[in-house]
Amino acid sequence: MATIAAPEAEFRIPSAIREERPPRKPSDSQLAAARGLPNNKEAKWPSYTTKLPASLYVDQDRFDEEHLKLFMKLPLPLAPSAYLAEPGSFVCRDGFGQSVILTRDKEGKVHALVNSCRHRGSRVTDNADPEKGRLMVCPYHAWSYDLSGKLAGVPRREVFAELDKAELGMVKLPCIEKGGIIWVKMDHLADDDFSHVSDELAIDLDALGVADMHMFALNKHEVEGNWKLILDTFLEGYHVIRLHAASLGPLYEDTVTHVDRLGSHLRQTSGRIGFTQEILAANEDSIDDLRSVVTYVYTLFPNAAFVISQDYCNLLIMQPKGMGKTVVHNFMLTNLNPQGEKLRRKWQKSLELTDGTAFPEDFAASAATYQGLTTGVVKELMIGGMEVGMKHFHELLEEKMETA
Ligand code: FES
Ligand SMILES: [Fe+2]
């Protein structure tokens, strides 16, 4: 089978281990996007200039409006399913202005609960890593809740007159698990319309087998920049061989990126180094082979980039803490369970190359851009023909802001 030299190519996953993940077909639209790409050597980029106002990134009113219209209204991707894989486990996720407990009950159903005890309001858990357990016990006076949030126990219950346990469950947030991702609405009064988590996106994520992937690492980064500046770095390939010249750059070349809207989300498709349609034809029967010749990057609107590499993925979720302050959680997922030492070492190298080197370069560029824009001198940003994903994202963003 024709393959493209890739950073991971020095290590082939033994076929006995590969059997753990049976071959999956790509979705029709993943395949169509790849078949529409030119050979890298024949790439021709569109020529245009789109302008974005700098105030998108450095205006406090705009930031507050985005918080209300996007972050408090839309279902947000909070974690991949693999992060909370075990039935009977729970974990605390802080962000978006409140602390949330994600649980997976014994039946495997996921719940999202506001992390606030119904006795006197304390946080119930600080657990940053998933923990197995039947009950969550508030550390203050030991009220306990089951994994669906029901109040299960009150010490010295007789000292509370008229206490109805059925009415004192933890407050629930609307939540859904779809495409291998847990989506939560941050407003507990919101309805449970999850049409935003579009079927078109779920078809792709299911073809990738995201729900069956394995957690390899979760890393947190604090970035002194607006959340959209970080997302922008995952919306164009123009910078790759330039900003990343000393890291990833030599493994890539300038390529044409094809962008599709999948309901409320975006997919960018581009050929890896040396891509030709002939190489594609030899690798298009299974999604895992396809991923060795084509890179897909999804934007889970509004605030996550999902980068699909050859046999692992990075889900980067941006949590705005302020106009110029963002926390990024990077969940690295692997196709296979990384039990063996060899596999673990291989993916550890990939983690160092992405999370340890290239992503920090993106974050530094975002922070530097934020600083530059706050001078107020540059009133407009320019987007050219190699930044087509950014153009699509900002059009989508304005549509959502108008209709919210
Ligand atoms: S505040 Fe939780 S038990 Fe008292
Ligand atoms: Fe980058």
Side-chain angles (χ1 to χ4, degrees):
M1 181 180 298
T3 53
I4 290 177
E8 298 88 355
E10 80 248 28
F11 182 84
R12 298 293 300 174
I13 293 171
S15 53
I17 299 175
R18 273 181 74 105
E19 277 165 24
E20 179 194 315
R21 185 174 151 101
R24 296 163 189 269
K25 290 244 165 257
S27 74
D28 292 345
S29 83
Q30 281 167 331
L31 201 49
R35 285 179 179 162
L37 293 173
N39 298 338
N40 280 3
K41 286 216 171 350
E42 291 145 26
K44 285 197 181 65
W45 291 272
S47 170
Y48 56 76
T49 306
T50 299
K51 293 187 175 170
L52 294 177
S55 59
L56 276 179
Y57 302 97
V58 293
D59 180 89
Q60 188 62 47
D61 290 343
R62 167 71 192 205
F63 178 79
D64 295 342
E65 203 185 333
E66 287 171 351
H67 179 73
L68 290 177
K69 291 186 170 175
L70 306 177
F71 290 91
M72 289 307 289
K73 278 212 170 143
L74 297 175
L76 304 175
L78 232 62
S81 300
Y83 181 55
L84 195 64
E86 292 239 26
S89 59
F90 60 97
V91 67
C92 165
R93 300 280 297 133
D94 284 341
F96 310 108
Q98 68 185 325
S99 177
V100 178
I101 304 176
L102 295 177
T103 73
R104 188 181 293 281
D105 66 24
K106 271 209 322 277
E107 284 69 46
K109 184 172 163 36
V110 169
H111 307 264
L113 308 163
V114 179
N115 192 2
S116 181
C117 177
R118 295 299 300 272
H119 174 218
R120 277 170 43 200
S122 166
R123 284 163 72 92
V124 173
T125 176
D126 286 327
N127 244 9
D129 294 315
E131 183 182 308
K132 286 209 74 159
R134 205 171 54 79
L135 293 175
M136 300 175 287
V137 183
C138 178
Y140 204 169
H141 312 92
W143 283 30
S144 56
Y145 301 88
D146 75 12
L147 296 191
S148 71
K150 273 201 207 110
L151 180 58
V154 174
R156 298 262 177 236
R157 184 178 166 171
E158 67 276 15
V159 301
F160 289 95
E162 295 164 22
L163 180 148
D164 182 356
K165 282 210 299 192
E167 282 181 2
L168 290 172
M170 295 179 78
V171 174
K172 292 192 176 210
L173 297 170
C175 162
I176 193 178
E177 187 172 23
K178 189 164 174 175
I181 290 178
I182 299 168
W183 307 76
V184 178
K185 288 189 180 179
M186 288 297 134
D187 176 2
H188 68 279
L189 298 175
D191 60 32
D192 55 4
D193 174 5
F194 280 93
S195 53
H196 174 80
V197 187
S198 317
D199 291 342
E200 298 95 316
L201 174 71
I203 288 169
D204 265 34
L205 299 183
D206 289 343
L208 288 160
V210 178
D212 298 328
M213 287 185 184
H214 301 264
M215 265 302 287
F216 187 75
L218 167 58
N219 288 332
K220 179 178 169 184
H221 303 267
E222 296 193 6
V223 184
E224 300 286 315
N226 184 271
W227 67 277
K228 298 185 298 297
L229 290 171
I230 304 167
L231 206 52
D232 286 346
T233 66
F234 293 94
L235 282 157
E236 50 96 350
Y238 186 28
H239 74 282
V240 173
I241 64 169
R242 299 168 181 92
L243 176 68
H244 302 306
S247 56
L248 283 179
L251 308 169
Y252 288 84
E253 61 187 336
D254 283 339
T255 58
V256 166
T257 301
H258 177 81
V259 183
D260 289 293
R261 242 195 223 199
L262 305 177
S264 297
H265 310 276
L266 296 175
R267 179 186 60 210
Q268 298 170 78
T269 307
S270 49
R272 298 184 69 154
I273 196 163
F275 175 86
T276 63
Q277 282 295 322
E278 197 186 337
I279 288 174
L280 173 67
N283 284 279
E284 61 178 30
D285 288 344
S286 96
I287 185 69
D288 291 348
D289 289 337
L290 182 56
R291 284 165 59 184
S292 68
V293 298
V294 168
T295 302
Y296 295 101
V297 179
Y298 294 84
T299 307
L300 310 185
F301 190 88
N303 65 322
F306 195 16
V307 184
I308 312 299
S309 299
Q310 186 169 355
D311 50 25
Y312 65 93
C313 308
N314 292 95
L315 175 63
L316 297 110
I317 300 179
M318 325 307 162
Q319 293 187 345
K321 293 282 180 198
M323 190 171 67
K325 217 175 244 314
T326 307
V327 169
V328 184
H329 284 100
N330 174 24
F331 296 85
M332 177 169 162
L333 304 174
T334 51
N335 283 5
L336 303 171
N337 195 349
Q339 324 104 325
E341 194 42 38
K342 257 184 157 178
L343 266 181
R344 192 152 269 290
R345 269 210 309 275
K346 165 196 147 54
W347 279 320
Q348 192 58 38
K349 268 166 80 181
S350 304
L351 182 68
E352 279 156 24
L353 188 64
T354 53
D355 191 86
T357 312
F359 296 161
E361 289 169 348
D362 293 317
F363 302 151
S366 309
T369 306
Y370 184 72
Q371 278 183 21
L373 292 177
T374 53
T375 64
V377 173
V378 172
K379 304 282 185 218
E380 288 178 320
L381 289 75
M382 290 169 61
I383 295 177
M386 284 181 72
E387 293 150 294
V388 60
M390 268 183 81
K391 181 171 151 37
H392 282 266
F393 173 76
H394 286 276
E395 284 168 4
L396 180 60
L397 175 63
E398 291 321 302
E399 263 177 52
K400 296 283 178 190
M401 292 292 285
E402 272 164 34
T403 53

